[in-house]
Amino acid sequence: MTIVVSGGNTAVDGDYIVQTFTSTDLLTISGGTLTNVDYLLIAGGGSAYNRGTYRAGGGAGGIVQNFNISLPAGTYPVIIGGAFANSQFNGQTAIRGGAAGFFQTAGSRGGSGGGSTVAGPTHKNIPAGAGIAGQGNQGGAGGLGGFPQGSAGGEIGRAHV
């Protein structure tokens, strides 16, 4: 019996068949259990703050990876979070990036945390958002020195295996 897989966009890359989902859809498997499945799930990034002189970057979306799993015949929802939202597949969730901090507000926690900034004329650094363990990193720290300063957002995501 032949195993048939549908949903998303299908491409062949050497010995691999790649199903890519850029929006919420269903992955359907019929004809048997699909084995040796690897997947990468990425959430949407966090919002940046870019008003006036206070600027910081949003964190990168969290990353979840899984290798060499089996998926029995059936239908599997694939939720693609897009901007500022989580993504989900097979019981796992990639957490959206943290929102950027602004003025006297810290960056928020997320897949990778939102970047921080400095507080007004005091030049006090405001904390960056924490990253989710296994999915990303803490956001970038606010710049030191002159007024005003902002920062980059969360650092590159880290895979969860």
Side-chain angles (χ1 to χ4, degrees):
M1 183 174 246
T2 301
I3 297 175
V4 177
V5 178
S6 63
N9 297 310
T10 305
V12 176
D13 183 9
D15 293 335
Y16 297 93
I17 298 172
V18 180
Q19 298 295 126
T20 303
F21 294 84
T22 56
S23 62
T24 297
D25 198 351
L26 297 173
L27 173 67
T28 303
I29 302 167
S30 60
T33 298
L34 191 60
T35 60
N36 299 319
V37 175
D38 299 339
Y39 67 83
L40 173 66
L41 184 63
I42 304 171
S47 60
Y49 186 81
N50 189 15
R51 293 182 72 188
T53 57
Y54 301 98
R55 296 183 177 154
I63 297 173
V64 174
Q65 292 184 88
N66 218 325
F67 300 98
N68 199 28
I69 67 165
S70 296
L71 294 172
T75 301
Y76 299 84
V78 179
I79 299 170
I80 302 300
F84 322 131
N86 298 339
S87 295
Q88 298 176 326
F89 175 70
N90 198 35
Q92 294 192 299
T93 302
I95 305 297
R96 67 173 174 74
F102 64 95
F103 188 54
Q104 296 188 27
T105 303
S108 66
R109 181 181 173 144
S112 279
S116 70
T117 186
V118 294
T122 65
H123 304 256
K124 176 184 173 189
N125 282 327
I126 302 297
I132 302 294
Q135 290 197 24
N137 298 305
Q138 179 173 330
L144 299 173
F147 171 77
Q149 291 289 332
S151 73
E155 298 176 16
I156 192 165
R158 192 171 298 184
H160 173 72
V161 180

